[in-house]
């Protein structure tokens, strides 16, 4: 079993829909990261969080430390949100290693 | 603007040749990382460096080598010993405390023919 699990693997939605991507982990973490990878391959860091909730524009990330679960929400989704969204965790044991989820491929249709 | 520059974006090499991928950052970050990404898989850590002239192996260091002679630069050499070098390679950096997360480059897609 992977230490970081994302769901769903693939998600197709219509423009305007509310999107939720989930991430569960089984290790002790110091922080959880949400990243976005566009078709060209470059990765952009969206959020780094260790508790609670963060919001940036139409993106919201939440984390529940007790349940070892995080969600990334996109409100009023748009075709430009189409990308792979990746969850990764910084672990308590390893200062510099990230453990990566396999990613969620999101397609927003106009 | 500050960021990470990886070059080239696409690279083709013949089997048996060594190839060096460039990674330069102007963020004044102490730590730099190299990741490999294969289709349908998560990123895997090849090497990382916390300070100049020091680096550590990640999970899949075999067949790769790095150097960190300058804070800004962390080149990765894919040697002929790497059995399956065709992949997408990403460089990243962070401040030492990682308090601001990670910054990633745009990646280099290496194809060995």
């Amino acid at each position: 079993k992977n230490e970081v699990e994302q769901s769903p693997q693939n998600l197709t939605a219509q423009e305007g829909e509310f999107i939720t991507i989930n991430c569960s982990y089984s290790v002790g973490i110091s922080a959880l990261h949400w990243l976005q990878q566009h078709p060209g391959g470059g990765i952009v860091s969206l959020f780094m969080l260790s508790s609670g909730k963060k919001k940036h524009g139409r993106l919201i990330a939440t984390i529940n430390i007790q349940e070892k679960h995080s969600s990334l929400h996109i409100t009023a989704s748009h075709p430009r949100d189409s990308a792979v969204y990746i969850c990764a965790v910084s672990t308590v044991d390893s200062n510099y290693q990230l453990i990566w989820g396999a990613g969620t491929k999101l397609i927003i249709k106009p | 603007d500050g960021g990470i520059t990886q070059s080239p974006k696409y690279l083709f090499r013949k089997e048996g040749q060594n190839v060096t991928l460039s990674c330069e950052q102007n963020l004044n970050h102490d730590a730099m990382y190299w990741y490999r990404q294969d289709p349908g898989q998560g990123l895997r850590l090849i090497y990382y460096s916390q300070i100049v002239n020091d680096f550590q192996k990640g999970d899949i260091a075999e067949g790769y080598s790095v150097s960190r002679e300058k804070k800004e630069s962390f080149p990765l050499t894919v040697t002929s010993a790497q059995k399956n070098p065709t992949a997408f390679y990403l460089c990243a950096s962070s401040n030492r405390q990682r308090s601001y997360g990670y910054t990633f480059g745009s990646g280099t897609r290496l194809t060995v023919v």
Side-chain angles (χ1 to χ4, degrees):
Chain A
K1 188 179 188 300
N2 292 335
E3 292 168 306
V4 178
E5 298 268 5
Q6 280 187 242
S7 63
Q9 263 191 312
N10 296 282
L11 179 57
T12 300
Q14 290 297 129
E15 183 173 356
E17 286 188 37
F18 182 81
I19 302 299
T20 296
I21 299 171
N22 296 299
C23 177
S24 296
Y25 54 92
S26 57
V27 294
I29 69 168
S30 55
L32 184 141
H33 307 259
W34 281 104
L35 308 108
Q36 180 191 56
Q37 186 171 32
H38 276 280
I43 290 180
V44 174
S45 180
L46 300 174
F47 296 104
M48 183 177 77
L49 62 165
S50 54
S51 65
K53 176 179 173 178
K54 287 190 176 180
K55 185 175 188 292
H56 182 69
R58 295 179 294 106
L59 299 176
I60 303 165
T62 63
I63 188 168
N64 185 318
I65 297 296
Q66 286 73 31
E67 294 185 5
K68 295 190 173 181
H69 181 268
S70 174
S71 294
L72 176 68
H73 305 286
I74 305 175
T75 62
S77 60
H78 189 276
R80 65 173 174 266
D81 297 325
S82 298
V84 175
Y85 292 85
I86 306 172
C87 171
V89 299
S90 305
T91 65
V92 172
D93 295 333
S94 175
N95 281 329
Y96 285 89
Q97 293 248 20
L98 287 173
I99 302 177
W100 297 80
T104 294
K105 184 174 182 180
L106 174 66
I107 297 173
I108 303 295
K109 293 185 174 181
Chain B
D1 285 337
I4 293 183
T5 301
Q6 284 189 246
S7 61
K9 193 168 178 66
Y10 299 96
L11 190 54
F12 295 88
R13 278 295 180 269
K14 289 185 178 179
E15 195 170 335
Q17 288 182 334
N18 290 356
V19 60
T20 298
L21 281 57
S22 169
C23 178
E24 305 274 334
Q25 54 100 358
N26 61 2
L27 299 161
N28 200 33
H29 281 170
D30 293 301
M32 296 187 74
Y33 315 80
W34 274 106
Y35 290 95
R36 170 180 170 140
Q37 187 177 36
D38 293 285
Q41 294 190 33
L43 278 73
R44 292 182 290 169
L45 183 66
I46 305 172
Y47 270 98
Y48 66 98
S49 167
Q50 300 176 42
I51 55 172
V52 174
N53 292 324
D54 185 53
F55 47 83
Q56 283 79 41
K57 293 181 179 180
D59 298 321
I60 55 166
E62 186 175 347
Y64 299 98
S65 65
V66 293
S67 62
R68 187 88 188 275
E69 297 176 3
K70 299 186 298 181
K71 189 175 185 178
E72 306 79 34
S73 179
F74 191 40
L76 173 75
T77 296
V78 184
T79 74
S80 56
Q82 167 50 232
K83 299 205 183 311
N84 186 17
T86 294
F88 186 64
Y89 292 88
L90 277 160
C91 178
S93 70
S94 68
N95 62 337
R96 187 172 298 188
Q97 296 78 20
R98 296 165 296 127
S99 51
Y100 302 115
Y102 295 77
T103 300
F104 285 84
S106 55
T108 292
R109 192 166 299 279
L110 173 65
T111 302
V112 175
V113 297

